[in-house]
Amino acid sequence: MLGALLGLYEILHGLFYVVNGTPDQKRDYPLEIVLGLLIMAVCLGGHWLIRRISHSNTRTVWITELILVGFIIYGFYRS
């Protein structure tokens, strides 16, 4: 769910610069909005899938998402 919040932040950040930015920012920041939507959709879809697989067992959802976030952080630092 933190990934979905990150996606929401990127969407709002992009919208701010599209509305209030310089002409260069108005040209570049729509990409951030699209990427924010993609991140948000993947994170919410993954969360929904994990909840369905674990039959809404909160502990299993938290542990599974913690492991996935750990893999993402590990891959980020290894790249």
Side-chain angles (χ1 to χ4, degrees):
M1 292 306 293
L2 290 175
L5 289 175
L6 176 67
L8 179 64
Y9 169 76
E10 284 195 27
I11 293 167
L12 294 176
H13 187 257
L15 283 174
F16 175 78
Y17 280 106
V18 166
V19 173
N20 298 321
T22 64
D24 287 336
Q25 290 172 333
K26 288 182 180 182
R27 185 189 72 226
D28 295 337
Y29 278 90
L31 178 61
E32 187 171 349
I33 296 169
V34 171
L35 292 176
L37 286 170
L38 180 64
I39 290 170
M40 193 170 173
V42 167
C43 289
L44 288 175
H47 180 73
W48 176 80
L49 184 65
I50 290 169
R51 281 185 54 128
R52 295 281 298 188
I53 290 171
S54 68
H55 303 290
S56 297
N57 184 347
T58 305
R59 185 181 326 158
T60 307
V61 170
W62 276 78
I63 291 170
T64 306
E65 289 185 359
L66 180 68
I67 291 169
L68 290 173
V69 168
F71 281 140
I72 291 168
I73 291 171
Y74 176 75
F76 178 75
Y77 283 117
R78 292 288 294 173
S79 65

Coordinates of all heavy atoms in Angstrom, one line a residue:
M1 N 0.8 -1.2 0.0 CA 0.0 0.0 0.0 C 0.9 1.3 0.0 O 0.4 2.3 -0.5 CB -0.9 0.0 1.2 CG -2.0 -1.1 1.2 SD -3.0 -1.1 -0.3 CE -3.9 0.4 -0.2
L2 N 2.1 1.2 0.5 CA 3.0 2.3 0.5 C 3.4 2.7 -0.9 O 3.5 3.8 -1.3 CB 4.2 2.1 1.3 CG 4.0 2.0 2.8 CD1 5.3 1.6 3.6 CD2 3.5 3.3 3.4
G3 N 3.5 1.6 -1.8 CA 3.7 1.9 -3.2 C 2.6 2.6 -3.9 O 2.8 3.5 -4.7
A4 N 1.4 2.3 -3.5 CA 0.2 3.1 -4.0 C 0.3 4.5 -3.6 O 0.0 5.4 -4.4 CB -1.1 2.4 -3.6
L5 N 0.7 4.8 -2.4 CA 0.8 6.2 -1.9 C 1.9 6.9 -2.6 O 1.8 8.1 -2.9 CB 1.1 6.2 -0.4 CG -0.1 5.8 0.5 CD1 0.3 5.8 2.0 CD2 -1.3 6.8 0.3
L6 N 3.0 6.2 -2.9 CA 4.1 6.7 -3.7 C 3.6 7.1 -5.1 O 3.9 8.2 -5.6 CB 5.3 5.8 -3.8 CG 6.4 6.2 -4.7 CD1 7.1 7.4 -4.1 CD2 7.4 5.1 -4.9
G7 N 2.8 6.3 -5.7 CA 2.2 6.6 -7.0 C 1.3 7.8 -6.9 O 1.3 8.6 -7.8
L8 N 0.5 7.9 -5.9 CA -0.4 9.0 -5.7 C 0.4 10.3 -5.6 O 0.1 11.4 -6.1 CB -1.3 8.8 -4.5 CG -2.2 10.0 -4.1 CD1 -3.3 10.2 -5.3 CD2 -2.9 9.7 -2.8
Y9 N 1.5 10.2 -4.8 CA 2.4 11.4 -4.7 C 3.0 11.8 -6.0 O 3.0 13.0 -6.3 CB 3.5 11.1 -3.7 CG 4.6 12.2 -3.7 CD1 4.4 13.4 -3.1 CD2 5.8 12.0 -4.4 CE1 5.4 14.4 -3.1 CE2 6.8 13.0 -4.4 CZ 6.5 14.2 -3.8 OH 7.5 15.1 -3.8
E10 N 3.4 10.9 -6.8 CA 3.9 11.2 -8.1 C 2.9 11.9 -9.0 O 3.1 12.8 -9.8 CB 4.5 10.0 -8.8 CG 5.8 9.6 -8.3 CD 6.6 8.6 -9.2 OE1 6.3 8.7 -10.4 OE2 7.4 7.9 -8.7
I11 N 1.6 11.4 -8.9 CA 0.5 12.0 -9.7 C 0.3 13.4 -9.3 O 0.2 14.3 -10.1 CB -0.7 11.1 -9.6 CG1 -0.6 9.8 -10.2 CG2 -1.9 11.8 -10.2 CD1 -1.6 8.8 -9.8
L12 N 0.2 13.6 -8.0 CA -0.1 15.0 -7.5 C 1.1 15.9 -7.8 O 0.9 17.1 -8.1 CB -0.3 14.9 -6.0 CG -1.6 14.2 -5.6 CD1 -1.8 14.2 -4.1 CD2 -2.8 14.9 -6.2
H13 N 2.3 15.4 -7.7 CA 3.5 16.2 -8.0 C 3.5 16.6 -9.5 O 3.8 17.8 -9.8 CB 4.8 15.4 -7.6 CG 6.0 16.2 -7.7 ND1 6.9 16.0 -8.8 CD2 6.6 17.1 -7.0 CE1 7.9 16.8 -8.7 NE2 7.8 17.5 -7.5
G14 N 3.2 15.7 -10.3 CA 3.2 16.0 -11.7 C 2.1 17.0 -12.1 O 2.2 17.9 -12.9
L15 N 0.9 16.8 -11.5 CA -0.2 17.7 -11.7 C 0.1 19.1 -11.2 O -0.2 20.1 -11.9 CB -1.5 17.2 -11.0 CG -2.2 16.1 -11.6 CD1 -3.4 15.6 -10.7 CD2 -2.8 16.5 -13.0
F16 N 0.8 19.2 -10.1 CA 1.2 20.6 -9.6 C 2.1 21.3 -10.7 O 1.9 22.5 -11.0 CB 2.0 20.4 -8.3 CG 2.5 21.7 -7.8 CD1 1.7 22.7 -7.2 CD2 3.8 22.1 -7.9 CE1 2.1 23.9 -6.7 CE2 4.3 23.3 -7.5 CZ 3.5 24.2 -6.9
Y17 N 3.1 20.6 -11.2 CA 4.0 21.2 -12.2 C 3.3 21.4 -13.5 O 3.7 22.3 -14.3 CB 5.3 20.5 -12.3 CG 6.2 20.8 -11.2 CD1 6.4 19.9 -10.2 CD2 6.8 22.0 -11.1 CE1 7.3 20.2 -9.1 CE2 7.7 22.3 -10.0 CZ 7.9 21.4 -9.1 OH 8.7 21.7 -8.0
V18 N 2.3 20.6 -13.9 CA 1.6 20.8 -15.1 C 0.8 22.1 -15.0 O 0.7 22.9 -16.0 CB 0.8 19.6 -15.5 CG1 -0.2 19.9 -16.6 CG2 1.7 18.4 -15.9
V19 N 0.2 22.3 -13.9 CA -0.7 23.5 -13.7 C 0.2 24.8 -13.4 O -0.1 25.8 -14.0 CB -1.7 23.2 -12.5 CG1 -2.5 24.5 -12.2 CG2 -2.6 22.1 -12.9
N20 N 1.2 24.7 -12.6 CA 1.9 25.9 -12.1 C 3.3 26.0 -12.6 O 4.0 26.9 -12.2 CB 1.9 25.9 -10.6 CG 0.6 26.0 -10.0 OD1 -0.3 26.7 -10.5 ND2 0.3 25.2 -8.9
G21 N 3.8 25.1 -13.5 CA 5.2 25.1 -13.9 C 5.5 26.0 -15.1 O 4.7 26.6 -15.7
T22 N 6.8 26.0 -15.4 CA 7.3 26.7 -16.6 C 6.9 25.9 -17.8 O 6.5 24.7 -17.7 CB 8.8 26.8 -16.5 OG1 9.4 25.5 -16.6 CG2 9.3 27.5 -15.2
P23 N 7.0 26.5 -19.0 CA 6.7 25.7 -20.2 C 7.4 24.4 -20.3 O 6.9 23.4 -20.8 CB 7.0 26.7 -21.3 CG 6.9 28.0 -20.7 CD 7.3 27.9 -19.3
D24 N 8.7 24.4 -19.9 CA 9.5 23.1 -20.0 C 8.9 22.1 -19.0 O 8.8 20.9 -19.3 CB 10.9 23.3 -19.7 CG 11.7 24.0 -20.8 OD1 11.2 23.9 -22.0 OD2 12.7 24.7 -20.6
Q25 N 8.5 22.5 -17.8 CA 8.0 21.6 -16.8 C 6.6 21.1 -17.3 O 6.3 19.9 -17.1 CB 7.8 22.3 -15.5 CG 9.2 22.5 -14.8 CD 9.0 23.4 -13.6 OE1 8.1 24.2 -13.5 NE2 10.0 23.2 -12.7
K26 N 5.8 22.0 -17.9 CA 4.5 21.6 -18.4 C 4.6 20.5 -19.5 O 3.7 19.7 -19.7 CB 3.7 22.8 -19.0 CG 3.2 23.7 -17.9 CD 2.5 24.8 -18.4 CE 2.0 25.7 -17.3 NZ 1.2 26.8 -17.7
R27 N 5.8 20.5 -20.2 CA 6.0 19.5 -21.2 C 6.5 18.2 -20.7 O 6.1 17.1 -21.1 CB 7.0 20.0 -22.2 CG 7.3 19.1 -23.4 CD 8.4 19.5 -24.3 NE 9.6 19.2 -23.5 CZ 10.7 20.1 -23.4 NH1 10.7 21.3 -23.9 NH2 11.7 19.7 -22.7
D28 N 7.3 18.2 -19.6 CA 7.9 17.0 -19.1 C 7.2 16.3 -18.0 O 7.3 15.1 -17.9 CB 9.3 17.4 -18.5 CG 10.3 17.9 -19.6 OD1 10.0 17.5 -20.8 OD2 11.2 18.6 -19.2
Y29 N 6.4 17.0 -17.2 CA 5.7 16.3 -16.1 C 4.5 15.5 -16.3 O 4.1 14.7 -15.5 CB 5.4 17.4 -15.0 CG 6.7 17.7 -14.1 CD1 7.5 18.7 -14.5 CD2 6.9 16.9 -13.0 CE1 8.7 18.9 -13.7 CE2 8.1 17.1 -12.3 CZ 8.9 18.1 -12.6 OH 10.1 18.4 -11.9
P30 N 3.9 15.5 -17.5 CA 2.8 14.5 -17.8 C 3.3 13.1 -17.7 O 2.6 12.2 -17.4 CB 2.3 14.9 -19.1 CG 2.5 16.4 -19.2 CD 3.8 16.6 -18.5
L31 N 4.6 12.9 -18.1 CA 5.2 11.5 -18.0 C 5.2 11.1 -16.5 O 4.9 9.9 -16.3 CB 6.6 11.5 -18.6 CG 7.3 10.2 -18.5 CD1 6.6 9.2 -19.3 CD2 8.7 10.4 -19.0
E32 N 5.4 12.0 -15.6 CA 5.4 11.6 -14.2 C 4.0 11.2 -13.8 O 3.8 10.3 -13.0 CB 5.9 12.7 -13.3 CG 6.1 12.3 -11.9 CD 6.8 13.4 -11.1 OE1 7.3 14.3 -11.6 OE2 6.8 13.2 -9.8
I33 N 3.0 11.8 -14.3 CA 1.6 11.5 -14.0 C 1.3 10.1 -14.5 O 0.7 9.2 -13.8 CB 0.6 12.5 -14.6 CG1 0.8 13.9 -14.0 CG2 -0.8 12.0 -14.4 CD1 0.1 15.0 -14.7
V34 N 1.7 9.8 -15.7 CA 1.5 8.4 -16.3 C 2.2 7.4 -15.5 O 1.7 6.3 -15.2 CB 1.9 8.4 -17.8 CG1 1.8 7.0 -18.4 CG2 1.0 9.4 -18.6
L35 N 3.5 7.6 -15.2 CA 4.2 6.6 -14.4 C 3.6 6.5 -13.0 O 3.6 5.3 -12.5 CB 5.7 7.0 -14.3 CG 6.4 7.0 -15.6 CD1 7.9 7.5 -15.5 CD2 6.5 5.6 -16.2
G36 N 3.1 7.5 -12.4 CA 2.5 7.4 -11.1 C 1.2 6.6 -11.2 O 1.0 5.8 -10.3
L37 N 0.5 6.7 -12.3 CA -0.7 5.9 -12.4 C -0.3 4.4 -12.6 O -1.0 3.5 -12.0 CB -1.5 6.4 -13.7 CG -2.3 7.6 -13.5 CD1 -2.8 8.1 -14.9 CD2 -3.4 7.4 -12.5
L38 N 0.7 4.2 -13.3 CA 1.2 2.8 -13.5 C 1.6 2.2 -12.2 O 1.3 1.0 -11.9 CB 2.3 2.7 -14.6 CG 2.9 1.4 -14.9 CD1 1.8 0.5 -15.5 CD2 4.1 1.5 -15.8
I39 N 2.4 2.9 -11.4 CA 2.9 2.4 -10.1 C 1.8 2.1 -9.2 O 1.7 1.1 -8.5 CB 3.9 3.4 -9.5 CG1 5.2 3.4 -10.3 CG2 4.2 3.1 -8.0 CD1 6.1 4.6 -9.9
M40 N 0.8 3.1 -9.2 CA -0.3 2.9 -8.3 C -1.2 1.7 -8.7 O -1.6 0.9 -7.8 CB -1.2 4.2 -8.4 CG -2.2 4.3 -7.3 SD -2.9 6.0 -7.4 CE -4.2 5.8 -6.3
A41 N -1.4 1.5 -10.0 CA -2.2 0.4 -10.5 C -1.5 -1.0 -10.2 O -2.2 -1.9 -9.7 CB -2.5 0.5 -12.0
V42 N -0.2 -1.1 -10.4 CA 0.5 -2.3 -10.1 C 0.5 -2.6 -8.6 O 0.3 -3.8 -8.2 CB 2.0 -2.2 -10.6 CG1 2.8 -3.3 -10.1 CG2 2.0 -2.2 -12.2
C43 N 0.7 -1.6 -7.8 CA 0.7 -1.8 -6.3 C -0.6 -2.2 -5.8 O -0.7 -3.2 -5.0 CB 1.2 -0.6 -5.6 SG 3.0 -0.3 -5.9
L44 N -1.7 -1.6 -6.3 CA -3.0 -1.9 -5.8 C -3.4 -3.3 -6.3 O -4.1 -4.1 -5.6 CB -4.0 -0.9 -6.2 CG -4.0 0.5 -5.5 CD1 -4.9 1.5 -6.1 CD2 -4.2 0.3 -4.0
G45 N -3.1 -3.6 -7.6 CA -3.4 -4.9 -8.1 C -2.6 -6.0 -7.4 O -3.2 -7.1 -7.1
G46 N -1.4 -5.8 -7.1 CA -0.6 -6.8 -6.3 C -1.1 -7.0 -4.9 O -1.2 -8.1 -4.4
H47 N -1.5 -5.9 -4.3 CA -2.1 -6.0 -3.0 C -3.4 -6.8 -3.0 O -3.7 -7.6 -2.2 CB -2.4 -4.6 -2.4 CG -3.0 -4.6 -1.0 ND1 -2.2 -4.9 0.1 CD2 -4.2 -4.3 -0.6 CE1 -3.0 -4.8 1.2 NE2 -4.2 -4.5 0.8
W48 N -4.3 -6.5 -4.0 CA -5.5 -7.2 -4.1 C -5.3 -8.7 -4.4 O -5.9 -9.6 -3.8 CB -6.3 -6.6 -5.3 CG -7.6 -7.4 -5.6 CD1 -8.8 -7.2 -4.9 CD2 -7.8 -8.4 -6.6 NE1 -9.7 -8.1 -5.4 CE2 -9.1 -8.8 -6.5 CE3 -7.0 -8.9 -7.6 CZ2 -9.6 -9.8 -7.3 CZ3 -7.5 -9.9 -8.4 CH2 -8.8 -10.3 -8.3
L49 N -4.3 -9.0 -5.2 CA -4.0 -10.4 -5.5 C -3.4 -11.1 -4.3 O -3.8 -12.3 -4.0 CB -2.9 -10.5 -6.6 CG -2.5 -11.9 -7.1 CD1 -3.7 -12.5 -7.8 CD2 -1.4 -11.8 -8.1
I50 N -2.6 -10.5 -3.5 CA -2.0 -11.1 -2.3 C -3.1 -11.3 -1.3 O -3.2 -12.4 -0.6 CB -0.9 -10.2 -1.7 CG1 0.3 -10.3 -2.6 CG2 -0.5 -10.7 -0.3 CD1 1.4 -9.2 -2.3
R51 N -4.1 -10.4 -1.2 CA -5.2 -10.5 -0.2 C -6.1 -11.7 -0.7 O -6.6 -12.5 0.2 CB -6.0 -9.3 -0.2 CG -5.4 -8.2 0.7 CD -6.3 -7.1 0.9 NE -7.6 -7.6 1.3 CZ -8.3 -7.1 2.4 NH1 -7.8 -6.1 3.0 NH2 -9.5 -7.5 2.7
R52 N -6.3 -11.9 -2.0 CA -7.1 -13.0 -2.4 C -6.4 -14.3 -2.2 O -7.1 -15.3 -1.8 CB -7.4 -12.8 -3.9 CG -8.2 -11.6 -4.3 CD -9.6 -11.8 -4.1 NE -10.1 -12.9 -4.9 CZ -11.3 -13.3 -5.1 NH1 -12.3 -12.6 -4.5 NH2 -11.7 -14.3 -5.8
I53 N -5.1 -14.4 -2.4 CA -4.4 -15.6 -2.3 C -4.4 -16.0 -0.8 O -4.5 -17.2 -0.4 CB -3.0 -15.5 -2.9 CG1 -3.1 -15.5 -4.4 CG2 -2.1 -16.7 -2.4 CD1 -1.8 -15.2 -5.1
S54 N -4.2 -15.0 0.1 CA -4.0 -15.3 1.5 C -5.4 -15.4 2.3 O -5.4 -15.5 3.5 CB -3.1 -14.3 2.2 OG -3.7 -13.0 2.2
H55 N -6.5 -15.2 1.5 CA -7.8 -15.2 2.1 C -8.0 -14.1 3.2 O -8.5 -14.3 4.2 CB -8.2 -16.6 2.7 CG -8.0 -17.7 1.7 ND1 -8.9 -17.8 0.7 CD2 -7.1 -18.7 1.6 CE1 -8.6 -18.9 0.0 NE2 -7.5 -19.4 0.5
S56 N -7.4 -13.0 2.9 CA -7.5 -11.7 3.7 C -6.9 -11.9 5.1 O -7.3 -11.2 6.1 CB -8.9 -11.2 3.8 OG -9.4 -10.9 2.6
N57 N -5.9 -12.8 5.3 CA -5.2 -13.0 6.5 C -4.2 -11.8 6.6 O -3.2 -11.8 5.9 CB -4.5 -14.3 6.6 CG -3.9 -14.6 7.9 OD1 -3.7 -13.7 8.7 ND2 -3.5 -15.8 8.1
T58 N -4.5 -10.9 7.5 CA -3.7 -9.7 7.6 C -2.2 -10.0 7.8 O -1.3 -9.4 7.2 CB -4.2 -8.8 8.8 OG1 -5.6 -8.6 8.5 CG2 -3.5 -7.5 8.8
R59 N -1.9 -10.9 8.7 CA -0.5 -11.2 9.0 C 0.3 -11.7 7.7 O 1.4 -11.3 7.4 CB -0.3 -12.2 10.1 CG 1.1 -12.5 10.5 CD 1.3 -13.5 11.6 NE 0.2 -13.4 12.6 CZ -0.2 -14.5 13.3 NH1 0.5 -15.6 13.3 NH2 -1.2 -14.4 14.2
T60 N -0.4 -12.6 7.0 CA 0.2 -13.1 5.8 C 0.4 -12.1 4.7 O 1.4 -12.0 4.0 CB -0.7 -14.3 5.2 OG1 -0.9 -15.2 6.2 CG2 -0.1 -14.9 4.0
V61 N -0.6 -11.1 4.6 CA -0.5 -10.0 3.7 C 0.7 -9.2 4.0 O 1.5 -8.8 3.2 CB -1.8 -9.2 3.6 CG1 -1.6 -7.9 2.9 CG2 -2.9 -10.0 3.1
W62 N 0.8 -8.8 5.3 CA 2.0 -8.0 5.7 C 3.3 -8.6 5.5 O 4.3 -8.0 5.0 CB 1.8 -7.6 7.2 CG 0.9 -6.5 7.5 CD1 -0.4 -6.5 7.5 CD2 1.3 -5.1 7.8 NE1 -0.9 -5.2 7.8 CE2 0.1 -4.4 7.9 CE3 2.6 -4.5 7.9 CZ2 0.2 -3.0 8.2 CZ3 2.6 -3.2 8.2 CH2 1.4 -2.4 8.3
I63 N 3.4 -9.9 5.8 CA 4.7 -10.6 5.7 C 5.0 -10.7 4.2 O 6.2 -10.5 3.8 CB 4.6 -12.0 6.4 CG1 4.6 -11.8 7.9 CG2 5.8 -12.9 5.9 CD1 4.3 -13.1 8.6
T64 N 4.1 -11.1 3.4 CA 4.3 -11.2 1.9 C 4.7 -9.9 1.3 O 5.7 -9.9 0.5 CB 3.0 -11.8 1.2 OG1 2.6 -13.0 1.9 CG2 3.3 -12.1 -0.2
E65 N 4.0 -8.8 1.6 CA 4.4 -7.5 1.1 C 5.7 -7.1 1.6 O 6.5 -6.4 0.9 CB 3.3 -6.5 1.4 CG 2.0 -6.8 0.5 CD 1.0 -5.8 0.7 OE1 1.1 -4.8 1.4 OE2 -0.1 -5.9 0.0
L66 N 6.1 -7.4 2.8 CA 7.4 -7.0 3.4 C 8.5 -7.7 2.6 O 9.5 -7.1 2.3 CB 7.4 -7.4 4.9 CG 8.8 -7.1 5.6 CD1 9.0 -5.6 5.7 CD2 8.8 -7.7 6.9
I67 N 8.3 -9.0 2.3 CA 9.3 -9.8 1.5 C 9.4 -9.2 0.1 O 10.5 -9.0 -0.4 CB 8.9 -11.3 1.5 CG1 9.0 -11.9 2.9 CG2 9.7 -12.0 0.4 CD1 8.5 -13.3 3.0
L68 N 8.3 -8.8 -0.5 CA 8.3 -8.2 -1.9 C 9.1 -6.9 -1.9 O 9.9 -6.6 -2.7 CB 6.9 -8.1 -2.4 CG 6.2 -9.4 -2.8 CD1 4.8 -9.1 -3.2 CD2 7.0 -10.1 -3.9
V69 N 8.8 -6.1 -0.9 CA 9.4 -4.8 -0.8 C 10.9 -5.0 -0.5 O 11.8 -4.3 -1.1 CB 8.8 -3.9 0.4 CG1 9.7 -2.7 0.7 CG2 7.4 -3.5 -0.1
G70 N 11.3 -6.0 0.3 CA 12.7 -6.3 0.5 C 13.4 -6.7 -0.8 O 14.5 -6.3 -1.0
F71 N 12.7 -7.5 -1.6 CA 13.3 -7.9 -2.9 C 13.5 -6.6 -3.8 O 14.5 -6.5 -4.5 CB 12.5 -8.9 -3.6 CG 12.6 -10.3 -3.1 CD1 11.5 -11.1 -3.0 CD2 13.9 -10.8 -2.8 CE1 11.7 -12.4 -2.5 CE2 14.1 -12.1 -2.3 CZ 12.9 -12.9 -2.2
I72 N 12.5 -5.7 -3.8 CA 12.6 -4.5 -4.6 C 13.8 -3.7 -4.2 O 14.6 -3.2 -5.0 CB 11.3 -3.8 -4.6 CG1 10.2 -4.6 -5.4 CG2 11.4 -2.4 -5.2 CD1 8.8 -4.1 -5.2
I73 N 13.9 -3.5 -2.8 CA 15.0 -2.7 -2.3 C 16.3 -3.3 -2.6 O 17.3 -2.7 -3.0 CB 14.8 -2.4 -0.8 CG1 13.6 -1.5 -0.6 CG2 16.1 -1.9 -0.2 CD1 13.2 -1.4 0.9
Y74 N 16.4 -4.6 -2.4 CA 17.7 -5.4 -2.8 C 18.0 -5.2 -4.2 O 19.2 -4.9 -4.6 CB 17.5 -6.8 -2.4 CG 18.7 -7.7 -2.8 CD1 19.8 -7.7 -2.0 CD2 18.6 -8.5 -3.9 CE1 20.9 -8.4 -2.4 CE2 19.7 -9.3 -4.2 CZ 20.9 -9.3 -3.5 OH 21.9 -10.0 -3.8
G75 N 17.0 -5.4 -5.1 CA 17.3 -5.2 -6.6 C 17.7 -3.8 -6.9 O 18.5 -3.6 -7.8
F76 N 17.1 -2.8 -6.2 CA 17.5 -1.4 -6.5 C 18.9 -1.2 -6.1 O 19.7 -0.5 -6.9 CB 16.5 -0.5 -5.7 CG 16.8 1.0 -5.9 CD1 16.5 1.6 -7.0 CD2 17.5 1.6 -4.9 CE1 16.8 3.0 -7.2 CE2 17.8 3.0 -5.0 CZ 17.4 3.6 -6.2
Y77 N 19.4 -1.6 -5.0 CA 20.7 -1.4 -4.6 C 21.8 -2.2 -5.3 O 22.9 -1.9 -5.4 CB 20.9 -1.6 -3.1 CG 20.3 -0.4 -2.3 CD1 19.3 -0.6 -1.4 CD2 20.9 0.8 -2.4 CE1 18.7 0.5 -0.7 CE2 20.4 1.9 -1.7 CZ 19.3 1.7 -0.9 OH 18.8 2.8 -0.2
R78 N 21.3 -3.4 -5.9 CA 22.2 -4.2 -6.7 C 22.4 -3.7 -8.1 O 23.4 -4.1 -8.8 CB 21.7 -5.7 -6.7 CG 21.8 -6.4 -5.4 CD 23.1 -6.7 -4.9 NE 23.7 -7.7 -5.9 CZ 24.9 -8.1 -5.8 NH1 25.7 -7.6 -5.0 NH2 25.3 -9.0 -6.7
S79 N 21.5 -2.9 -8.6 CA 21.6 -2.4 -9.9 C 22.5 -1.2 -10.1 O 23.0 -0.6 -9.2 CB 20.2 -2.1 -10.5 OG 19.7 -1.0 -9.8

